[in-house]
């Protein structure tokens, strides 16, 4: 039981870091800094403007909740450890 809990907490941490990194990449890829790299925007006489991007608040919340859930799993490790023979 302890090994499964530790493994789950570690995998949750790794997946939350992976999702946070992917979200950061998504934000960079959809931000205003992309406009100079678009070929049609380089044409003479063409003006490209960055108007808006969809709100990413829900995605930010998902990363925060992922870290909070990992903290809960980490705390759960202590209680599972206390129920084993390893704890005297």
């Amino acid at each position: 039981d302890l090994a499964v809990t530790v493994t789950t907490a570690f995998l949750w941490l790794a997946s939350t870091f992976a999702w946070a990194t992917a979200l950061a990449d998504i934000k960079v890829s959809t931000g205003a800094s992309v406009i100079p790299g678009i070929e049609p925007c380089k044409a003479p006489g063409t003006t490209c403007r960055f108007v808006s991007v969809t709100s990413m608040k829900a995605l930010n919340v998902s990363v925060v909740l992922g870290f909070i859930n990992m903290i809960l799993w980490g705390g759960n490790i202590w209680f599972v450890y206390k129920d084993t023979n390893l704890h005297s």
Side-chain angles (χ1 to χ4, degrees), residues 32-88:
S33 61
V34 174
I35 291 176
I38 300 173
E39 284 300 319
C41 293
K42 294 179 182 178
T46 303
T47 303
C48 294
R49 288 179 280 139
F50 183 78
V51 179
S52 69
V53 68
T54 303
S55 175
M56 296 195 187
K57 291 178 186 176
L59 299 177
N60 292 334
V61 169
S62 71
V63 171
V64 171
L65 290 177
F67 281 116
I68 290 172
N69 196 9
M70 193 283 310
I71 290 169
L72 289 174
W73 275 102
N76 195 28
I77 291 171
W78 172 249
F79 293 108
V80 173
Y81 169 72
K82 285 181 72 172
D83 287 339
T84 64
N85 293 337
L86 301 172
H87 184 263
S88 54

